[in-house]
Each structure stands twice: as C-alpha cells, then as structure tokens.
Amino acid sequence: MRFKIFNRRNLRLNIGPKIIGGFSIVIVLMLAVSTIGYLGMKNFDKSLTEVNTRNSEDFYWSNWKAEITRSALNYQAFFSTGDERWLQEARNRITRAEENQAALSKIVGGERILDFQTISGWVNDIMNTYQARADEILLGDRSTTRTAQVINEVGTDLDAVVNTINATIKSSQTRTARAIKQTEESQSLFTLLIIGISGIALLAALAIGILVSVRISSGVKKVKGALQKMAAGDLTVNVSIKDRDEVGDMALSYNDMQKKLSQLVSQFKQSAVYLNNASEQLNIAAKQSSESTQQVATSAQQMARGAQEQSNNAQETAKSIEQL
C-alpha cells in the first residue's frame, strides 16, 4: 500500500481563496462581536430586571412600613379622642398596608421570605389588637388603663416590626447597589470585549489586505524586472517565487519562456558558428579554384604562344622550300 505524504509544494491556494479565507476570519470575528453584544444585552436586561425588582421591593417595604406606622398613630388618636374619623383613617391605612403586603408577597424571594412571613404575622397581630380595642371603645369601654396597656403591649411589637423592616430595606438596598455595580462591571467587560475583538478584526482585515497586496505586487515586480532585463538581452535571469497561486504560475511561465529562449539562442549561436566555418571553407575552396584557373590560363597562353611559334616556323620552312 502506497501512502501519499503531504507536500507543501503540492498545496495550491489561489489569490481569490486567500482573500476570501482572510476575510472569512474577519467575518467570524465580527460574528463573535455580535454574539458578545447580544449576550451582553441579555445580561444587562436580566440585571436591569433584577434591579427593578429590588427597587420595587424596597418601595413596597417602605410604603408598608409607613402605612403600618400611620395606622397605629390613627388608632392611638382614636383611643385618646374617640373621634371615629381617626378610626376610619386607620382602617384605610390598613387596607393600603394590605395592598403593599400582597404586592410584596409576589416579589419577595430568597432568604427574605422568612422575614416577610414573620413581619406579616406581627403586623396582623398588632392590627388585630388595635382593632379589638377600637371595638371595645365603640361598645362603651373607654378605660384609659386598658388603652394604655394595649398601647404599651403593641408598642414593643410595633418597634420590632419597624426595626426589622428598616433592616430588611437596608439589606435590600445593599443588594441592589451590589447588583447595580455588578451590572456596570459586566457592561464594562462586554464593552471592552467588543472593542477588543472589533480592533482585532480591523487589524486582521488591514493585515490581510496589506499581506495579499504586498505578495502580489512583489511577485509582479520580480517578473517585470526579469522581463525588462530580457528585453535588454539578458536571458540569464530566473524568477524565484514560492507562492502557489496565479503570480507563481506567471513566474513559472516566465521561467519556462526564459529557458526555451535561452535554448533557442544557444541553437542560433551554434548554427552561426557552423555557418561561419562553412563560409570559411568555401572561401578557401574558391581561392584554390581561382588559383587553379589562373594556372590553367597561364598554361593555355603558353601553349598558344608555342603553337604560334610553331606556325611561324612552319611558314618559314614553307618559304624556304619554295625558294629551293
């Protein structure tokens, strides 16, 4: 079984996918920013709801305490004056106190439930005691001793109720302040995260843009310089680009062209040398042929002169024979 070993040279990644991949990272970072912002808003809404609930609870605690205290004062005013208007006002206060008590029962939670139940029991006992004494007075029992006894008995419980409510309100306000502080800290943290990741995304986008543009322009400049040298007649320049993309393909194409042109020029040089040698041999042969031709011409001239001389000699011989 043959296994293919991963080779970085076989890995091809064009310019387009590089840019898309880089900006995909930026998009992922921006999605992270959006997610963090969404979570931050949910956390803020939750914290705000909690703070509003605690503020409402503080409001109802305060109102409940105020209505209880004022109803007790109204009862005491009725006890001392016998004016039923104070009694009616006390009952109205009790009604409003019960409304605040009912509202509190719906929102009080955690460890405050036990305090609320304890205070509710005390308040009910106090109001029942006051109302019972008011009924006795309405029936004609106006004993100041009995009234003072009721006020003294109820006063201790009323002070305990007021003190307990004050402590509960203070504790609730402390928790509210803590919740507000935690909300502000959470918002600050989420804000810093959003700013930080947004900054990283921006830097990543700039880095990707600069890196891709530099890689592309660097490769193009190398090929351009090599082509200019080739145009000037220098066919020895080879472009070295390791990128497996369109610029790398252009460099490989240039190198192939440079190699083939170098081979072609070398062949031209060899052919020129061969033609030069052949021309020199032809010149030598022509020179030798010219010299042979001159020799033949000289011999022909000499033969012609010899024939002329023989002809002259023959004529002279013929004349001599005729004279004889």
Side-chain angles (χ1 to χ4, degrees):
M1 184 181 294
R2 298 178 61 185
F3 295 94
K4 291 184 179 181
I5 300 176
F6 176 78
N7 188 351
R8 184 176 179 272
R9 294 182 178 178
N10 296 328
L11 180 63
R12 178 179 179 84
L13 188 61
N14 293 335
I15 294 174
K18 287 181 180 178
I19 297 174
I20 294 173
F23 282 98
S24 297
I25 296 174
V26 176
I27 292 173
V28 170
L29 291 174
M30 296 307 298
L31 289 175
V33 171
S34 300
T35 302
I36 291 174
Y38 173 73
L39 293 176
M41 290 301 298
K42 287 192 65 177
N43 181 71
F44 178 75
D45 290 340
K46 180 180 178 181
S47 300
L48 186 61
T49 301
E50 182 179 357
V51 170
N52 289 335
T53 301
R54 292 186 182 277
N55 287 332
S56 298
E57 184 178 336
D58 293 343
F59 172 78
Y60 288 123
W61 277 112
S62 299
N63 284 349
W64 191 28
K65 180 187 73 172
E67 296 299 338
I68 292 170
T69 304
R70 289 169 183 170
S71 65
L73 294 175
N74 293 147
Y75 272 120
Q76 292 175 12
F78 170 71
F79 294 161
S80 61
T81 63
D83 189 347
E84 292 186 10
R85 289 178 297 178
W86 291 112
L87 179 59
Q88 185 60 42
E89 181 65 20
R91 289 173 177 173
N92 292 336
R93 297 279 184 186
I94 290 175
T95 301
R96 289 195 288 270
E98 290 174 348
E99 292 175 354
N100 285 278
Q101 183 178 356
L104 274 175
S105 66
K106 297 178 181 179
I107 61 176
V108 169
E111 60 186 14
R112 295 183 301 281
I113 293 178
L114 182 59
D115 293 336
F116 173 74
Q117 292 174 347
T118 301
I119 295 171
S120 296
W122 287 348
V123 169
N124 291 334
D125 292 341
I126 291 170
M127 294 300 108
N128 289 334
T129 301
Y130 274 131
Q131 186 60 43
R133 179 55 188 159
D135 292 339
E136 292 174 353
I137 293 174
L138 290 175
L139 293 174
D141 183 3
R142 297 183 177 275
S143 172
T144 57
T145 303
R146 173 61 180 160
T147 301
Q149 181 183 3
V150 169
I151 293 174
N152 290 332
E153 290 176 356
V154 173
T156 303
D157 293 339
L158 184 61
D159 290 339
V161 168
V162 172
N163 292 333
T164 304
I165 291 177
N166 288 335
T168 302
I169 293 174
K170 184 177 180 181
S171 176
S172 179
Q173 290 175 344
T174 300
R175 293 189 181 94
T176 302
R178 188 183 302 115
I180 293 174
K181 183 178 180 181
Q182 291 176 351
T183 302
E184 291 175 349
E185 291 176 351
S186 298
Q187 285 300 107
S188 298
L189 177 60
F190 280 111
T191 302
L192 290 175
L193 286 174
I194 291 172
I195 293 174
I197 296 177
S198 299
I200 292 173
L202 178 60
L203 292 176
L206 290 174
I208 291 169
I210 293 173
L211 179 62
V212 172
S213 63
V214 168
R215 296 289 288 273
I216 294 174
S217 62
S218 175
V220 171
K221 286 179 180 179
K222 288 182 180 180
V223 175
K224 177 183 176 182
L227 288 172
Q228 289 176 343
K229 291 182 179 180
M230 179 182 287
D234 186 0
L235 299 178
T236 62
V237 179
N238 192 286
V239 178
S240 176
I241 297 178
K242 297 181 180 180
D243 293 341
R244 303 293 295 172
D245 52 20
E246 290 84 353
V247 177
D249 291 343
M250 182 173 62
L252 291 176
S253 299
Y254 167 80
N255 290 335
D256 290 340
M257 181 182 67
Q258 180 264 342
K259 182 178 180 181
K260 291 178 181 179
L261 284 176
S262 297
Q263 292 175 351
L264 185 61
V265 170
S266 178
Q267 292 175 359
F268 283 160
K269 288 181 179 180
Q270 291 177 358
S271 298
V273 171
Y274 176 77
L275 289 174
N276 186 39
N277 293 334
S279 176
E280 290 179 355
Q281 291 177 357
L282 287 175
N283 288 333
I284 293 172
K287 185 177 180 181
Q288 291 176 351
S289 177
S290 177
E291 291 177 351
S292 298
T293 302
Q294 288 179 357
Q295 290 177 357
V296 170
T298 302
S299 297
Q301 289 177 358
Q302 289 177 354
M303 290 176 65
R305 282 196 300 269
Q308 184 66 37
E309 289 178 356
Q310 288 180 0
S311 177
N312 292 334
N313 290 334
Q315 289 177 0
E316 288 179 359
T317 301
K319 288 180 180 181
S320 296
I321 293 172
E322 288 177 357
Q323 288 177 1
L324 293 178

